[in-house]
Amino acid sequence: MPAASRAAATEAPADREAALLHRRIELSALRQWSRSRGAWQPVTLAPAGVYVVNLWSIKCKPCLAELPLLKNIVAGWKPKPEVQFLFVADPPDETSESEAAAFWQSSAAALPDADPCRADSDELRRTLGDGAEPITLLLDEHFVVRQAFIGSLFNRPLGRSIERLVQSVRSASPPPRKHASGRAR
């Protein structure tokens, strides 16, 4: 375990989560498995107010255990495009492209309805400075961490946290300007 990960492991979970806040996360280097094409390609991110990024690994039992829970959360938000979900097999040395794709295909019934992603380098983990698994991040529209969950999501308020961040993003957006006729532009 790297020294930074050992040091992080001794801190209180709330302190570790707080340490992740306000970091801008670069997601453009991710690759995404296209179930329809059967190939890895650069990630495509639809514009959203909130991005939920779940870092998981095939070798992480808590990661695998929470995927059915995440499946339900994704299903609940599916009709609302202001929330986008990314499931990132990370760190890259723990889950190869072929392992991630095979796992997602063979376990589809228990997994979120989303194409999985994968990091090709450890840049994401260096940005976070924490090697814990799983990690779930709530990012705003600028890819800045607004809430972090380290470890299992069971008994954690992920759904409520997404709702709060969506409300925050909505209230921060300026209301539509009214035209002289009284109609919104």
Side-chain angles (χ1 to χ4, degrees):
M1 181 183 285
S5 295
R6 281 193 306 272
T10 62
E11 292 179 41
D15 292 337
R16 291 174 59 203
E17 291 172 353
L20 297 176
L21 299 179
H22 309 295
R23 294 174 191 230
R24 187 174 187 290
I25 304 300
E26 181 59 48
L27 300 174
S28 64
L30 296 178
R31 295 177 40 81
Q32 189 169 34
W33 175 254
S34 171
R35 293 174 292 173
S36 61
R37 293 187 177 140
W40 288 93
Q41 54 196 33
V43 69
T44 54
L45 297 173
V50 175
Y51 296 92
V52 180
V53 179
N54 177 262
L55 305 178
W56 63 280
S57 167
I58 288 175
K59 297 174 181 156
C60 167
K61 289 184 183 190
C63 299
L64 301 179
E66 73 184 15
L67 286 171
L69 168 72
L70 288 164
K71 175 182 179 169
N72 292 335
I73 292 172
V74 169
W77 284 98
K78 191 103 178 146
K80 299 177 182 174
E82 69 259 32
V83 179
Q84 298 293 315
F85 291 83
L86 292 143
F87 296 91
V88 183
D90 186 77
D93 61 342
E94 284 190 18
T95 307
S96 70
E97 284 185 351
S98 59
E99 288 173 318
F103 172 76
W104 216 261
Q105 288 172 320
S106 68
S107 306
L111 299 177
D113 183 20
D115 290 337
C117 298
R118 185 174 176 281
D120 285 333
S121 75
D122 65 348
E123 181 61 30
L124 182 56
R125 288 297 177 155
R126 278 197 311 268
T127 299
L128 295 174
D130 197 308
E133 292 174 338
I135 293 180
T136 302
L137 306 168
L138 275 59
L139 311 178
D140 66 15
E141 69 275 15
H142 304 291
F143 306 106
V144 174
V145 178
R146 296 300 176 198
Q147 185 153 6
F149 297 94
I150 294 178
S152 176
L153 289 171
F154 293 105
N155 301 316
R156 305 291 302 272
L158 178 62
R160 178 105 171 97
S161 296
I162 294 169
E163 288 174 21
R164 280 195 308 262
L165 187 52
V166 166
Q167 290 299 325
S168 169
V169 168
R170 282 184 190 148
S171 65
S173 299
R177 289 186 7 215
K178 292 199 177 186
H179 190 268
S181 66
R183 292 190 178 134
R185 281 188 184 184

